[in-house]
Amino acid sequence: MRYFITGTAGFIGFHLARRLLEDGHEVLGFDGMTPYYSLRLKEARNAGLAQFPAFRPVIGMLEDKSLLDKSVEDFKPDVLIHLAAQAGVRYSLENPKAYLDSNLIGSWNILEIARNYGVGHLMLASTSSVYGANPDIPFRETDRADEPLTFYAATKKATELMAHSYAHLYKLPITGFRFFTVYGPWGRPDMALFKFVKAMIEDREIEIYGEGKMSRDFTYIDDLVNSIIDLSKVYPGEDNRVAGIDTLSHQAPFRVVNIGGGQPSGLIDFVETIERIMGKPAKRKMLPMQKGDVPRTFASPDLLVALTGRKPEIGLEEGVKAFVQWYLDHRHEID
């Protein structure tokens, strides 16, 4: 099959594209190569994908609709997976316009392109941040998600709503998936695991927010990729409606699905896992919760399991060990 993926120089897009290429599919990767974090890391990911003859890279911004149009028209994808976005909860407090341009205007361009070129299945990345500080656990897709705590979360929720309207108006099959704290090799330098491991190797303090009382439903990257590929084969429609727990719209071929294992870990447990694997204690600096942070995330995987037959299962010990080994092997290439 032919997959058009936005954000292939990013953490998740890189892993997804590589898996699909390994499985014999064709991938056109669209990425803006923005300097939000290390371009060396993004270039290294792109170089890994370039080893596959079936990979076609396009460098461009989501706001450049003419380039998106030309890329899709030439490639004629079966599935369009939209992962590119301005990421980062905390950065959205500093530069909200970047989120407006990429996450709203860029996502609207993707919706327009999907309808104009008759893409068979459009898949959109959302986030657990849309749940805000939801007091009900685990977070279920049928819960209200109308109280975002950051502009980043608001743009992701807005993208879901825009997508529903397009699914209804143009009968465009769309699946949105909500990620829960994804981690693993080739991860983002602004994420906790990358920052903690780097600081410990350099014998610096690690900053633990919320006095370490927060918890997260960590999702290892390989599990996430499995779930995205599984869901890409489940076109939203009445033939696969799941009674009682589904978000499948009654007006459109549209649904949202959590991708998380439903096994949250405390932040201190996370730090202790890193310490155990690295064989040294961290220098801990305890800090209050940052503006926009939520105390916990906790996915209900029930809908994901009903649709695909499985959920994320890789444990923190195995996942952190894989990241640490990758970082030790590659740090001189990407730092």
Side-chain angles (χ1 to χ4, degrees):
M1 294 180 67
R2 291 187 166 198
Y3 289 81
F4 186 107
I5 303 174
T6 67
T8 45
F11 170 38
I12 296 169
F14 161 73
H15 278 277
L16 177 62
R18 186 172 65 177
R19 175 75 63 80
L20 290 168
L21 290 162
E22 288 171 347
D23 290 346
H25 301 289
E26 292 182 62
V27 174
L28 190 150
F30 191 97
D31 200 289
M33 299 296 286
T34 59
Y36 170 63
Y37 61 82
S38 167
L39 285 177
R40 290 185 67 191
L41 177 54
K42 293 184 178 185
E43 288 162 355
R45 293 181 187 133
N46 254 359
L49 296 177
Q51 296 175 16
F52 294 89
F55 177 67
R56 307 184 201 177
V58 176
I59 297 177
M61 300 297 287
L62 292 173
E63 300 92 307
D64 187 348
K65 181 143 183 316
S66 62
L67 181 57
L68 281 168
D69 271 323
K70 185 178 186 309
S71 301
V72 172
E73 184 177 19
D74 291 346
F75 188 62
K76 297 178 173 57
D78 302 297
V79 178
L80 198 166
I81 304 177
H82 178 40
L83 299 170
Q86 177 56 61
V89 169
R90 290 167 189 155
Y91 185 60
S92 69
L93 304 177
E94 303 170 24
N95 187 10
K97 189 174 185 300
Y99 295 75
L100 174 69
D101 293 341
S102 177
N103 300 4
L104 291 179
I105 296 173
S107 295
W108 175 71
N109 282 339
I110 292 294
L111 290 168
E112 279 284 281
I113 281 166
R115 79 156 174 121
N116 288 336
Y117 293 98
V119 171
H121 193 183
L122 172 60
M123 306 186 72
L124 300 170
S126 188
T127 172
S128 62
S129 296
V130 301
Y131 291 108
N134 187 1
D136 299 323
I137 56 171
F139 298 170
R140 302 185 185 280
E141 295 92 338
T142 51
D143 292 346
R144 284 187 60 194
D146 300 326
E147 298 177 353
L149 301 187
T150 63
F151 190 59
Y152 165 69
T155 62
K156 287 296 191 176
K157 178 64 177 180
T159 297
E160 292 182 7
L161 296 173
M162 291 191 300
H164 180 273
S165 71
Y166 268 65
H168 167 66
L169 292 169
Y170 309 111
K171 307 307 175 193
L172 178 63
I174 301 178
T175 300
F177 33 85
R178 295 172 176 170
F179 298 155
F180 283 73
T181 315
V182 186
Y183 73 102
W186 296 98
R188 289 192 350 238
D190 61 324
M191 298 296 285
L193 179 56
F194 199 117
K195 291 166 70 175
F196 287 179
V197 169
K198 179 176 171 63
M200 289 172 67
I201 288 174
E202 296 172 357
D203 202 32
R204 295 185 288 106
E205 289 182 330
I206 65 170
E207 296 180 334
I208 302 176
Y209 292 98
E211 305 293 343
K213 296 175 183 176
M214 296 188 293
S215 64
R216 293 290 182 268
D217 202 342
F218 294 97
T219 307
Y220 187 65
I221 184 62
D222 288 359
D223 278 332
L224 180 78
V225 167
N226 287 337
S227 295
I228 294 173
I229 293 173
D230 289 346
L231 287 170
S232 73
K233 302 167 187 174
V234 182
Y235 288 55
E238 289 297 333
D239 61 328
N240 52 41
R241 182 183 290 278
V242 181
I245 60 172
D246 210 340
T247 56
L248 180 67
S249 170
H250 291 284
Q251 288 80 36
F254 172 89
R255 67 158 52 93
V256 292
V257 185
N258 287 339
I259 300 183
Q263 296 180 313
S265 298
L267 189 51
I268 294 302
D269 292 334
F270 180 59
V271 171
E272 289 175 350
T273 300
I274 300 170
E275 292 175 327
R276 190 163 53 250
I277 288 166
M278 295 190 66
K280 63 181 292 187
K283 295 178 178 179
R284 306 183 188 187
K285 182 178 182 180
M286 310 303 281
L287 295 168
M289 188 176 292
Q290 285 196 312
K291 191 174 182 180
D293 267 349
V294 297
R296 63 189 171 191
T297 62
F298 188 164
S300 166
D302 294 350
L303 180 56
L304 177 65
V305 172
L307 293 171
T308 69
R310 58 176 168 173
K311 65 177 182 177
E313 297 283 3
I314 294 173
L316 210 51
E317 193 89 16
E318 181 181 350
V320 170
K321 181 179 285 188
F323 174 85
V324 170
Q325 187 59 58
W326 167 81
Y327 185 75
L328 292 174
D329 290 343
H330 292 273
R331 59 185 294 239
H332 297 297
E333 304 167 30
I334 60 176
D335 281 351

